[in-house]
Amino acid sequence: MQDIRWKAFWLLFSWLIVCLIVAAFSDWETAWLLFAIGTIAYLWRHLHWMHQLNRWLDKPDLNTIPMGSGAWEDIFAKVYHEQRRHARTKVQLSNALERFRHAAGALPDGVVLLDDDNKIEWCNRPAELHLGIALKQDIHQPIVYLVRSQEFVQYLQHHVDIDPIKLHTISGSQEMMLEIRLVSFGSNQKLLLSRDISQIEKLDAMRRDFIANVSHELRTPLTVVGGFLETLSEMDKTISKQTRQYFDMMMEQTKRMQLLIEDLLTLSQLEAGKSAPDEEDIDVDNLLNVVVSEAKGLSKGKHQIHLDAQADLNIKASRKELHSAFSNLVSNAIRYTPEGGDIFVSWQAHNQEAVFSVRDTGIGIEPEHINRLTERFYRVDRSRSRETGGTGLGLSIVKHILSRHQARLEIHSEFGKGSTFSAVFPKARIIS
Ligand code: ADP
């Protein structure tokens, strides 16, 4: 800028000197006239190049950029370089975009780019197959016009960056089970990812059926064995102390196997149950009184069991499942709390949610185990769990029941001091 101004100054100054020389040799009028003509020509030349620049900017093409003269030559040269750099960056960017599209197109999972109104901006081929989109026609259409499942619409409206949902779709004549996940990015845009999990679901169903069938088949023979053992041990009153001990051990082990099979059956029934559990209005205070009196039977007076329930706090749930989940948590507290310990059972509203919690003063759990407790057959101490009659499936069952009620399990524990297991039910379940 400085340069251009000095250039203009020196040009006008030189012209002024020329005009002064003319004035010295001729007269002042001629000199003034010459100066005026020179200045007007100078301004006209600027106007001319400004006009050229303005015209070129309407249709900026590198091949037609004006050459300019004087200060304008520099300006046009700079515009030319800037335009070339811009064109190069544009080519690089569009190459990168093209490469990204090829890469996203080659993904085995479906990818749909949604704008802030959930309209389709772009999608790859697997997404077209999974969700029945034809990109050429459906671009800029709201995704909910094409995927009409109620569950999907709700997921899209409320949930981003949370657990994926499963969606059953039919593509052509083929049925598919998809896992749908929404990921937010940029300013309110979303990526919708779809994965075909039909095969995994099929294998999982086979595994569930296998466990359910085996458990079912084992139940009858075990009941028969248990029954006859009991009859045999009672038939002959003269059997030796040692033989009686063997009978007792056999009956105890049969009972354990029966419990295990019952838990396996419960778990596979819960896993197979696609629909929400039967819902009824539950008088939780009443249910907890039943749970606590059963717990007292289990404890046989070895623990102090306290109940603090908010009587007017009730929820919609399946009574059978709720009973099973609460009993599991309370019986765990008893089994993992040494004699003389306290168990506090509570049912309270907290932050607009309904919270059932069981606090014990038992053995506690080391932090590294906490995240794994709800896995099937995961036990912190195998021998202790067996001793206390555990199957290793209790918390798995609790987790399934809670998730069927959109509730969550929270575990806090201090090793050697005790644990608190809480089941937190959402506001939507509370009967107001
Ligand atoms: P189990 O039948 O072995 O009790 P669960 O699934 O009910 O199986 O529990 C899994 C494991 O979690 C148990 O083996 C035990 O180590 C631990 N656990 C559960 N509840 C408690 C508790 N209240 N205090 C300490 N440990 C517990």
Side-chain angles (χ1 to χ4, degrees):
M1 206 59 201
Q2 189 77 14
D3 264 358
I4 292 173
R5 282 191 309 197
W6 278 111
K7 264 185 194 169
F9 172 77
W10 284 119
L11 195 73
L12 282 174
F13 186 71
S14 314
W15 185 239
L16 187 67
I17 300 290
V18 171
C19 291
L20 285 175
I21 294 170
V22 170
F25 286 101
S26 170
D27 55 295
W28 276 101
E29 279 87 15
T30 316
W32 273 119
L33 191 66
L34 266 180
F35 187 70
I37 291 169
T39 312
I40 288 168
Y42 178 75
L43 282 175
W44 183 253
R45 198 178 60 131
H46 275 302
L47 278 175
H48 167 71
W49 289 124
M50 264 161 77
H51 172 67
Q52 293 292 322
L53 176 63
N54 193 32
R55 255 184 37 183
W56 181 79
L57 283 175
D58 286 340
K59 250 191 189 173
D61 177 356
L62 273 181
N63 298 320
T64 59
I65 193 162
M67 296 297 287
S69 67
W72 284 96
E73 203 176 326
D74 289 353
I75 291 171
F76 283 122
K78 277 184 186 158
V79 172
Y80 179 75
H81 283 295
E82 200 47 40
Q83 278 293 313
R84 270 190 59 176
R85 204 176 60 81
H86 185 67
R88 263 203 308 270
T89 320
K90 211 165 127 185
V91 170
Q92 279 169 355
L93 273 176
S94 68
N95 283 347
L97 193 70
E98 204 47 37
R99 275 205 307 278
F100 166 76
R101 284 195 172 180
H102 277 303
L107 281 174
D109 293 345
V111 182
V112 187
L113 217 75
L114 297 175
D115 67 9
D116 43 4
D117 291 326
N118 293 327
K119 289 183 180 153
I120 302 168
E121 287 192 335
W122 178 83
C123 74
N124 66 358
R125 183 76 191 126
E128 289 188 307
L129 291 174
H130 290 167
L131 304 168
I133 303 172
L135 186 60
K136 278 194 185 130
Q137 294 141 38
D138 299 330
I139 193 160
H140 304 312
Q141 290 295 327
I143 182 94
V144 288
Y145 285 5
L146 299 153
V147 186
R148 305 196 62 83
S149 142
Q150 198 55 34
E151 203 187 348
F152 176 77
V153 175
Q154 275 173 5
Y155 182 63
L156 201 63
Q157 276 168 356
H158 304 296
H159 307 292
V160 169
D161 299 332
I162 66 147
D163 289 347
I165 53 161
K166 285 182 188 167
L167 194 70
H168 183 252
T169 61
I170 299 173
S171 165
S173 59
Q174 203 189 347
E175 286 194 29
M176 258 193 258
M177 184 58 97
L178 299 176
E179 186 185 78
I180 302 283
R181 182 188 287 273
L182 270 178
V183 184
S184 62
F185 75 98
S187 56
N188 228 355
Q189 281 175 300
K190 288 169 211 150
L191 261 186
L192 186 134
L193 308 172
S194 63
R195 168 173 293 176
D196 181 1
I197 52 163
S198 317
Q199 210 53 28
I200 303 172
E201 281 289 298
K202 223 177 257 175
L203 285 174
D204 209 37
M206 275 165 68
R207 178 191 59 79
R208 277 200 308 265
D209 286 351
F210 177 75
I211 294 177
N213 289 338
V214 168
S215 313
H216 201 74
E217 292 301 321
L218 283 175
R219 190 152 67 167
T220 321
L222 259 180
T223 316
V224 175
V225 171
F228 278 120
L229 275 176
E230 218 162 297
T231 319
L232 274 177
S233 79
E234 280 166 10
M235 256 168 64
D236 192 352
K237 303 283 177 202
T238 60
I239 54 173
S240 68
K241 203 173 161 200
Q242 177 97 44
T243 317
R244 173 147 314 278
Q245 214 176 350
Y246 291 154
F247 264 118
D248 287 348
M249 275 165 68
M250 283 195 285
M251 284 194 310
E252 196 187 307
Q253 292 307 316
T254 315
K255 208 163 261 162
R256 265 202 63 211
M257 278 174 79
Q258 278 172 329
L259 279 179
L260 188 62
I261 282 165
E262 287 307 322
D263 274 2
L264 276 172
L265 273 172
T266 309
L267 201 56
S268 56
Q269 270 159 14
L270 286 172
E271 281 183 329
K274 289 180 188 87
S275 53
D278 295 341
E279 283 178 14
E280 36 184 322
D281 293 359
I282 312 287
D283 178 348
V284 182
D285 183 26
N286 172 279
L287 175 66
L288 288 181
N289 275 302
V290 176
V291 170
V292 165
S293 74
E294 285 166 358
K296 283 182 178 156
L298 182 70
S299 156
K300 296 192 184 107
K302 291 181 192 151
H303 308 88
Q304 290 287 324
I305 305 176
H306 316 265
L307 172 63
D308 175 16
Q310 190 176 321
D312 60 350
L313 180 62
N314 295 321
I315 56 170
K316 271 191 180 306
S318 149
R319 187 180 172 95
K320 189 170 150 233
E321 293 188 12
L322 219 56
H323 188 169
S324 162
F326 291 173
S327 296
N328 257 306
L329 294 178
V330 177
S331 76
N332 273 356
I334 290 168
R335 290 190 293 116
Y336 297 102
T337 302
E339 201 172 332
D342 287 286
I343 318 280
F344 300 90
V345 179
S346 109
W347 172 247
Q348 303 291 340
H350 183 65
N351 286 343
Q352 298 194 320
E353 294 174 312
V355 186
F356 165 81
S357 74
V358 187
R359 180 163 69 83
D360 63 53
T361 53
I363 58 171
I365 308 156
E366 283 151 314
E368 66 267 27
H369 299 291
I370 292 198
N371 285 337
R372 301 198 56 192
L373 292 182
T374 54
E375 288 174 22
R376 267 165 249 192
F377 297 113
Y378 187 87
R379 285 121 156 181
V380 177
D381 179 348
R382 249 165 212 285
S383 55
R384 187 179 178 111
S385 165
R386 268 197 211 107
E387 257 170 48
T388 58
T391 60
L393 293 172
L395 290 182
S396 254
I397 292 175
V398 172
K399 189 184 136 192
H400 268 88
I401 292 177
L402 294 189
S403 92
R404 277 157 67 81
H405 287 82
Q406 299 78 44
R408 60 181 191 276
L409 178 67
E410 288 180 358
I411 307 172
H412 298 282
S413 187
E414 217 177 315
F415 186 57
K417 292 205 166 156
S419 318
T420 306
F421 285 74
S422 310
V424 186
F425 293 84
K427 187 182 167 200
R429 290 243 157 225
I430 301 175
I431 304 164
S432 45

